[in-house]
Amino acid sequence: MNLLIMQQAINELETDNERKNSKKILVDMLEKAIDSDLLIKNSAKQINTVISKEVKKERRVLTVSDAELFLAMRRTHSTTIYMW
């Protein structure tokens, strides 16, 4: 496979995480092709996945009063707990 074509396809994905996951799958597929003597080299290992340097969203942690309110509402409004 042509590295340039693979890199262009990876670049079209929207997030760094999508690119990383896609690269992992592609590298694994090509390794299996090498094991089956269909390829000699795994060019996918050279793909660059970090492009956008995305800013991660800040996580919000519940305050003690928020947690108490949540638990109180949970006790008041629901008597059945569903386990999936």
Side-chain angles (χ1 to χ4, degrees):
M1 277 196 137
N2 185 321
L3 177 59
L4 182 60
I5 293 170
M6 289 187 290
Q7 184 68 62
Q8 287 173 340
I10 293 291
N11 291 353
E12 291 176 10
L13 297 172
E14 294 196 19
T15 66
D16 289 344
N17 197 38
E18 287 177 1
R19 286 185 279 278
K20 287 176 189 173
N21 290 336
S22 297
K23 178 183 176 179
K24 285 179 189 176
I25 293 168
L26 189 55
V27 166
D28 185 53
M29 288 172 36
L30 295 182
E31 283 300 315
K32 288 180 179 18
I34 290 170
D35 292 344
S36 299
D37 294 324
L38 299 171
L39 290 176
I40 315 171
K41 178 181 171 188
N42 190 343
S43 299
K45 290 180 179 180
Q46 299 172 358
I47 293 174
N48 178 21
T49 58
V50 179
I51 295 172
S52 64
K53 308 249 187 219
E54 299 164 347
V55 176
K56 298 191 179 193
K57 294 180 182 176
E58 184 178 338
R59 294 183 181 191
R60 182 178 177 272
V61 178
L62 292 178
T63 63
V64 172
S65 60
D66 288 340
E68 289 171 349
L69 177 62
F70 173 79
L71 292 173
M73 295 296 285
R74 171 72 177 94
R75 284 190 289 273
T76 306
H77 289 76
S78 179
T79 57
T80 306
I81 298 176
Y82 294 99
M83 301 294 285
W84 299 102

